[in-house]
Amino acid sequence: MTQTTPHVEIRHAVDPVTARQLDTQGLRDAFHMPDLFAEGEIRLVYTHYDRMIAGGAVPAGKALVLDHVKQTGTASILDRREMGIVNVGDAGTVSAAGESWEMGRGDVLYLPMGAGPVSFDGAGRFYILSAPAHMAHPARLVTLAEAKKVNMGSAATANERTINQFIHPDVMPSCQLVVGYTQFHGGSVWNTMPAHVHDRRMEVYLYFDMAEDARVFHFMGEPNETRHLVMKNEEAVVSPPWSIHCGAGTGSYTFIWAMAGDNVDYRDVEMVSMEELR
């Protein structure tokens, strides 16, 4: 397989005191991740939050191979990492370690440390997430039907939603990567409200399934120093451990959440009361 040279951007960690001083463009430069999906390319963002990598691969009829990424300091990206892949496009194929998986829209694939180069083919739009790993767990394709579903919220508070857990302790083992996505019921637009923080791990959101002219207002920052970013379809945002992460959309949407850090317990959060929010 011929290596596809990925386009890689860096996001350095920003502390909460510095974040308070940033204007809109400064916030977007530090936390916003646009243009992850480009036909015929692999695009990655290497963050200094728990060394999480987020990116996209769009084969567009020509196989793409992800192997060496200079920023990881290893010969192949998965030499000391694990990876989660979510297909947000049409049917496609992912191959690694001598195996291939057919992925439909919404399917999630887990690849372990040591799986070697990863090949993407077909009509898929593959969202890539990767974090450092300390051991190899079995590779596994998890379909939406196999995901654990948690229903939360209500229509009365505009946040009735189903949380689909894929790479998650209740579904399968991983080292530190936790991945799933949240789908809203008709008329609901608020995500992750009431808000919370989790200081033991960072998070990345990717918003998708949005109309071209739809937007999500993503809220971030310390609970008493909130800021917002305006997000379009297939745009991602990094959430530091000290930050809230919630939002409201102008229409229906789905968002993929991915976490890395000390604790994989999804319930390990510090809730923020409405009285604390500013």
Side-chain angles (χ1 to χ4, degrees):
M1 294 186 294
T2 302
Q3 157 86 38
T4 303
T5 302
H7 172 80
V8 184
E9 296 183 11
I10 304 294
R11 293 290 187 277
H12 290 285
V14 177
D15 66 271
V17 175
T18 300
R20 293 177 201 169
Q21 317 306 318
L22 299 177
D23 62 10
T24 297
Q25 191 57 52
L27 288 171
R28 294 179 76 83
D29 291 342
F31 303 106
H32 183 228
M33 294 185 285
D35 304 321
L36 292 179
F37 300 91
E39 290 195 358
E41 295 185 34
I42 297 174
R43 296 187 175 185
L44 305 174
V45 177
Y46 182 100
T47 84
H48 285 260
Y49 300 97
D50 292 297
R51 305 289 170 172
M52 174 75 88
I53 292 175
V58 185
K62 180 180 178 181
L64 302 174
V65 179
L66 179 58
D67 190 8
H68 177 66
V69 177
K70 178 182 176 181
Q71 288 74 11
T72 67
T74 55
S76 187
I77 186 172
L78 293 181
D79 284 353
R80 297 186 64 185
R81 286 177 163 269
E82 58 189 352
M83 181 178 290
I85 300 167
V86 187
N87 184 10
V88 298
D90 294 327
T93 304
V94 176
S95 303
E99 294 188 68
S100 293
W101 296 267
E102 298 295 326
M103 296 186 67
R105 183 176 177 84
D107 290 349
V108 179
L109 175 66
Y110 173 80
L111 295 177
M113 180 181 72
V118 185
S119 175
F120 304 89
D121 206 349
R125 297 172 71 83
F126 299 101
Y127 180 48
I128 300 166
L129 297 149
S130 178
H134 59 272
M135 66 180 296
H137 294 286
R140 179 174 171 184
L141 176 67
V142 184
T143 66
L144 179 58
E146 295 169 322
K148 179 180 178 182
K149 294 172 174 55
V150 179
N151 295 310
M152 296 187 69
S154 70
T157 50
N159 67 350
E160 188 176 13
R161 61 203 189 274
T162 299
I163 299 172
N164 302 285
Q165 300 169 343
F166 292 83
I167 303 173
H168 185 281
D170 291 342
V171 179
M172 56 161 292
S174 65
C175 289
Q176 63 165 325
L177 190 62
V178 178
V179 180
Y181 54 81
T182 299
Q183 297 173 304
F184 290 90
H185 299 200
S188 287
V189 294
W190 272 104
N191 76 70
T192 323
M193 181 60 73
H196 62 254
V197 298
H198 31 71
D199 195 51
R200 286 158 292 280
R201 60 187 186 272
M202 60 80 69
E203 191 159 6
V204 175
Y205 275 13
L206 176 84
Y207 292 98
F208 75 110
D209 272 348
M210 295 167 57
E212 185 63 30
D213 61 349
R215 297 293 185 269
V216 170
F217 288 73
H218 175 89
F219 294 94
M220 60 160 297
E222 298 168 278
N224 63 345
E225 287 282 351
T226 60
R227 305 289 190 270
H228 75 269
L229 297 171
V230 179
M231 310 290 296
K232 297 191 296 184
N233 187 49
E234 292 187 349
E235 291 188 339
V237 59
V238 62
S239 177
W242 49 263
S243 175
I244 64 167
H245 38 282
C246 57
T250 60
S252 63
Y253 63 96
T254 301
F255 71 94
I256 298 169
W257 39 266
M259 296 179 284
D262 275 334
N263 198 342
V264 296
D265 184 354
Y266 190 76
R267 299 159 296 184
D268 179 27
V269 300
E270 288 79 49
M271 299 303 298
V272 177
S273 69
M274 290 298 186
E275 290 75 15
E276 294 177 75
L277 289 176
R278 295 289 185 273

